[in-house]
Amino acid sequence: MADFEPKIIAFVCNWCTYAGADLTGTSRIKYASNVRIVRFPCTGRIDYMLLLKAFAEGADGIIVSGCHPNDCHYTSGNFHARRRWIMFRSLCDFMGIDTRRIMFSWVSAAEGAKWAEIVNTTVASIRELGPYTNYKRVANKPVKEVVNG
Ligand code: FES
């Protein structure tokens, strides 16, 4: 467990959080290297079933991040994402998925330091929770079978 390095998948919007993450790099701010970024045009475009897919494929934690409220480049995509997140949280509770493994945030293109802080905080909390294997796909076995044993 001491050697555990969490695998974090970040689903981010192109216009704010991706640019913010880029700023983190160009500003040479150091942060945990555990995160893999998947870029979407807007958080409103993120299908939350992809989060389940990420867990099934071995992710230990997930970050969803986009533009701040009223800054979405498509006007209201982030509000749609937030509403869907609230519904998805209920589904996670129903399925027994610990929602502490999913971080939902807003990061603008000017907030490189905030992005680093979110990644570091998420990595630290997932490290405390440990590896997530409850929803992980086992080779040649459907996810449902793995969950039900
Ligand atoms: Fe960033 Fe919509 S463009 S959340």
Side-chain angles (χ1 to χ4, degrees):
M1 190 78 146
D3 302 339
F4 170 57
E5 281 300 330
K7 292 186 200 101
I8 312 290
I9 306 295
F11 295 96
V12 305
C13 91
N14 178 56
W15 300 101
C16 288
T17 303
Y18 188 80
D22 195 35
L23 179 65
T24 311
T26 54
S27 304
R28 298 177 184 250
I29 298 170
K30 292 197 185 318
Y31 67 104
S33 60
N34 306 53
V35 73
R36 298 293 176 266
I37 294 177
V38 181
R39 181 168 48 159
F40 282 81
C42 173
T43 52
R45 185 67 185 79
I46 297 170
D47 181 340
Y48 282 80
M49 291 302 124
L50 289 173
L51 277 62
L52 295 181
K53 174 98 172 141
F55 281 133
E57 297 298 331
D60 300 302
I62 291 171
I63 298 171
V64 177
S65 185
C67 305
H68 285 271
N70 298 320
D71 279 350
C72 175
H73 281 56
Y74 303 97
T75 313
S76 56
N78 51 3
F79 290 120
H80 292 295
R82 185 169 64 184
R83 260 183 246 133
R84 263 191 262 131
W85 163 236
I86 291 165
M87 295 298 296
F88 184 71
R89 232 175 21 196
S90 306
L91 178 68
C92 286
D93 286 341
F94 178 75
M95 294 173 66
I97 295 173
D98 189 344
T99 52
R100 289 178 300 172
R101 292 185 178 275
I102 306 168
M103 163 70 83
F104 192 100
S105 70
W106 316 118
V107 174
S108 80
E111 294 178 316
K114 182 179 177 185
W115 174 250
E117 186 188 321
I118 285 171
V119 170
N120 288 337
T121 305
T122 305
V123 168
S125 71
I126 299 297
R127 201 171 268 143
E128 263 178 40
L129 291 171
Y132 189 52
T133 54
N134 293 1
Y135 205 73
K136 193 171 181 177
R137 179 193 304 272
V138 175
N140 300 325
K141 248 184 164 183
V143 172
K144 192 174 178 202
E145 227 176 277
V146 175
V147 171
N148 295 333

